[in-house]
Amino acid sequence: MCGIFGYAGSRVVCSSRDAERALALLRHRGPDATGFVSGPGWGIGACRLAIVDLVAGDQPVRNESGTIHAVLNGEIYNYRELQEELRGHGHRLRSSGDTELLAHLWEEHGKALLSHLRGMFALAVVDERTQKLFLARDRLGKKPLYWMRSHGGLFFASELKALRPFAQSWVVDPPALEAFLTFGFVPEGSCFVRGVEKLPPGHWLELDIPTGEIRSGCYSTFEFSPDPTLGEEDAAQRLVELLAEATALRLRADVPMAVFLSGGLDSASIAALARRLGEEPKLLFVDLGDAGEKRRAMATAASLGLPLDVLPGEGAPSPELLPKLAEVFDEPLADPSAVPTYFVAQAASAAVKVVLNGDGGDELLAGYRRFLLAAAAERLPTRWALAAGLAALGLVSGKPWLSRRFREGLRDPSGGYLAWGPVKFTPGEVASFLGREPNLASFHRVLAQAPEDSAVNRLRALELFFFLPGDLLVKMDRATMACSLEARSPFLDQEVVRFLLTVPPKLLLSPFRTKRLLRRATRGLLPTEVRRGPKRGFEPPLPRWLAGPWAGEVERVLNDPRCSLRGFLRMGPLAKTLSKLAVADPPRHARAVFTLLTLEHWVSRWG
């Protein structure tokens, strides 16, 4: 796991000292070693977090003749198999790590090397023979890769902050702002800074250094292809087999490891499979005050015969955390769960260098309650009866916004996502305080490619290819890497993903229960209480924080005439929107206010 930086171009302006400064901005991603190599019109470097081959695995790497150079952020999990293959073809390897493979695989296969890689990665290769720079990113976008044209060349980096010294301007991109206000994150396909781009997941980019010509392409896509002949028992068995293999690959490391354990099913499954494979990872749990969640985490740990480290997470963080988050997330991210994620990463990094987690389980296996709503709404005979029932439930429980959101979702052409998903401000609300309709092209691009024959799979596509890479993977990458910690996600193994996209929705959901298939698959692996437990989000008590220790920040951002937001938003319509939400939908009101705080601190730090 590393931070990478580089440049290329016949007229590029970048000194070795400039490159060193850029790498220094990425040192949190890899404090163990820093390396840089350059040639006429190019330079690449990396800050290394040593995980595999702690002695000889430093970067950049090269082939035997010294004509091909490479750097890597991430992990190639099948590196042992690839080493064996390369040695069989006569390659001489200097290390037992995964990065050196890239130079030799490029020599052997060219850009087709990507089809051989199983892992999470952003990589760069310079071929001095052909004068080409080659960049690529993993299939789901687990590792970030930013690039831009500037100063006579192309610059790339793992994080936005490392490109800032080389940018000719640094201004907010309007469509990215509009998407951020709507969703609380900056989706793939856009960047918060105009002129900077993200290499899309599953894509490559090649620069001809002498001419500056760029070619790019897609090397991997995931397609929904439900198999109607697949039975529940066979699907459950296959899922366990693939998930165990994915977990085994991610247990390859030369340093201590842990599992981020919640009381939920996804992380518990990974912990159980790691234990079955003979490992004894540390189990780390963040206590957010949910007694049931803690009880289930303790039950998982007890069933595995492993101690559980309980980390306090319920206490309200100081307002000083907000500017720190703006430093960590140099594209703004208004996901409140980033706070406990960052805290647990800090705690874990004191003991281990690698953590396994359950990321991707909800998106792949229909774990969110909105999947139940989508499935119910698709059953026309019960549609209006369910709407009436939810309306009554909302009124009786004192939460009428629940029934209102459901009714809005039935009318939503996105299949309910804009009503039931992680929306901060609706497109109409954003339009009112920006004075223009928001450009949500990235969202509509994914929506246009989503399956039309299944409401559940339509929602799964939005979760997997919009929400996951834009929010959850960014949150985990930046929060852990800010603490020099590597996070690995077995559910997001490419073979696990491909298989689960063949599973029909009927095997994923029961009428009132999510994750039907995973609950079936973990029989005998996990305690019944954990398998049957409800879905719990990694959500902190945000309303309490906003009304308590963060109240001064809320007041400053919303009412101080010196607030930076006044340069972006029409404060009158914004105040009306927030006043209405405070009464009509308190949970979304809290998320909306946190979004504004996040934006204000981002502008203060990076604007």
Side-chain angles (χ1 to χ4, degrees), residues 251-501:
L251 288 169
R252 292 177 171 180
D254 298 330
V255 295
M257 308 181 76
V259 175
F260 279 169
L261 186 68
S262 71
L265 193 53
D266 300 335
S267 59
S269 301
I270 301 305
L273 288 170
R275 192 72 178 95
R276 176 187 276 188
L277 290 163
E279 298 293 326
E280 296 185 6
K282 291 178 67 69
L283 302 180
L284 304 175
F285 172 77
V286 179
D287 188 358
L288 295 174
D290 186 324
E293 190 83 348
K294 183 177 180 180
R295 184 180 65 251
R296 285 185 289 274
M298 293 176 69
T300 297
S303 72
L304 302 179
L306 296 173
L308 180 68
D309 288 350
V310 179
L311 309 174
E314 190 180 8
S318 161
E320 281 70 38
L321 176 69
L322 295 168
K324 176 62 179 177
L325 291 178
E327 181 74 28
V328 169
F329 297 98
D330 53 9
E331 271 194 295
L333 178 68
D335 184 336
S337 66
V339 176
T341 301
Y342 178 60
F343 285 158
V344 74
Q346 282 185 312
S349 65
V352 298
K353 275 191 169 183
V354 178
V355 291
L356 273 63
N357 61 42
D359 281 3
D362 286 319
E363 292 74 24
L364 284 163
L365 288 152
Y368 298 119
R369 285 184 287 270
R370 49 186 173 265
F371 285 107
L372 295 175
L373 296 179
E378 198 169 34
R379 293 194 292 272
L380 291 176
T382 65
R383 180 171 175 170
W384 301 114
L386 183 60
L390 283 175
L393 176 63
L395 292 171
V396 170
S397 65
K399 298 179 180 178
W401 57 85
L402 294 176
S403 56
R404 184 172 55 254
R405 281 189 204 168
F406 178 70
R407 292 194 302 270
E408 290 170 354
L410 293 177
R411 299 189 295 268
D412 177 12
S414 72
Y417 191 84
L418 290 176
W420 306 332
V423 169
K424 282 29 177 192
F425 292 103
T426 68
E429 290 165 350
V430 173
S432 73
F433 47 77
L434 282 180
R436 62 182 183 270
E437 289 297 319
N439 180 342
L440 304 180
S442 298
F443 172 75
H444 289 293
R445 190 180 305 117
V446 176
L447 182 62
Q449 298 170 353
E452 296 185 356
D453 58 347
S454 164
V456 171
N457 278 349
R458 191 170 178 80
L459 209 53
R460 285 173 82 202
L462 288 168
E463 302 289 356
L464 279 168
F465 307 126
F466 181 71
F467 179 58
L468 184 75
D471 184 311
L472 297 186
L473 295 181
V474 173
K475 175 188 70 176
M476 187 58 67
D477 174 81
R478 304 305 193 280
T480 54
M481 293 309 296
C483 305
S484 305
L485 183 71
E486 175 173 300
R488 299 179 174 184
S489 309
F491 278 101
L492 294 177
D493 181 89
Q494 64 205 51
E495 300 306 320
V496 174
V497 173
R498 287 196 180 106
F499 168 68
L500 287 175
L501 295 187

Side-chain angles (χ1 to χ4, degrees), residues 39-40 42 62-69 91 102-111 113 125-134 206-210:
W42 64 270
R62 59 186 177 87
N63 64 340
E64 295 95 334
S65 63
T67 56
I68 300 171
H69 309 267
H91 291 267
L102 299 177
H104 299 276
L105 287 168
W106 177 265
E107 194 172 29
E108 192 79 20
H109 303 291
K111 65 172 62 75
L113 71 89
V125 177
V126 171
D127 190 336
E128 292 191 271
R129 304 168 306 176
T130 60
Q131 286 292 287
K132 295 285 196 299
L133 166 70
F134 180 77
E206 187 176 69
L207 172 77
D208 184 82
I209 296 174

